[in-house]
Amino acid sequence: MNREITFFSRFEADILANCKTITIRDSSESDFQPGEVLRVCRNEDGVFFCHIEVKSVTPVTLDALTERHAQQENMSLDELKKVIKEIYPDLQQFYVIEFTQC
């Protein structure tokens, strides 16, 4: 059975359009393995909307985020850092999960 990952509904269209190809998570969601296929559901209501395949899981600090990360998230670097600080206000260490839609 596939494990599940959730995304806020505001990211659904970008994921389905292949505009968002990474997600940045804390250590509680860092144990995914390359090649693993995940069920993707909306965080707000649990509705399934696609499957993704994990390409890589790479540690990163907030300060080490780059324009490339922002492009993969389909936002500016400033926006990306702001969103991460809103979701994880007290953290500096994260994991970049790169994926492709199946």
Side-chain angles (χ1 to χ4, degrees):
M1 188 173 132
N2 292 349
R3 290 200 292 167
E4 186 175 288
I5 190 167
T6 62
F7 287 86
F8 291 114
S9 60
R10 68 180 184 251
F11 298 124
E12 181 177 355
D14 282 352
I15 293 167
L16 293 175
N18 294 312
C19 295
K20 178 177 169 63
T21 59
I22 65 169
T23 183
I24 299 172
R25 304 292 174 114
D26 68 6
S27 61
S28 72
E29 292 187 281
S30 66
D31 66 334
F32 298 116
Q33 300 299 314
E36 187 173 2
V37 175
L38 306 175
R39 281 177 47 84
V40 181
C41 297
R42 291 192 302 242
N43 182 276
E44 293 86 346
D45 57 14
V47 171
F48 166 82
F49 65 90
C50 73
H51 286 95
I52 57 172
E53 181 180 341
V54 176
K55 293 298 179 191
S56 63
V57 180
T58 311
V60 69
T61 61
L62 189 64
D63 291 340
L65 291 174
T66 65
E67 288 292 343
R68 174 80 178 124
H69 292 116
Q71 288 170 354
Q72 291 173 296
E73 286 273 12
N74 198 31
M75 58 181 74
S76 72
L77 186 56
D78 287 342
E79 280 179 289
L80 177 57
K81 288 184 175 186
K82 182 174 180 270
V83 167
I84 290 171
K85 287 176 185 174
E86 286 170 5
I87 298 170
Y88 305 110
D90 300 322
L91 293 181
Q92 291 294 314
Q93 178 66 51
F94 302 96
Y95 294 84
V96 175
I97 300 169
E98 187 173 359
F99 61 85
T100 56
Q101 186 185 323
C102 299

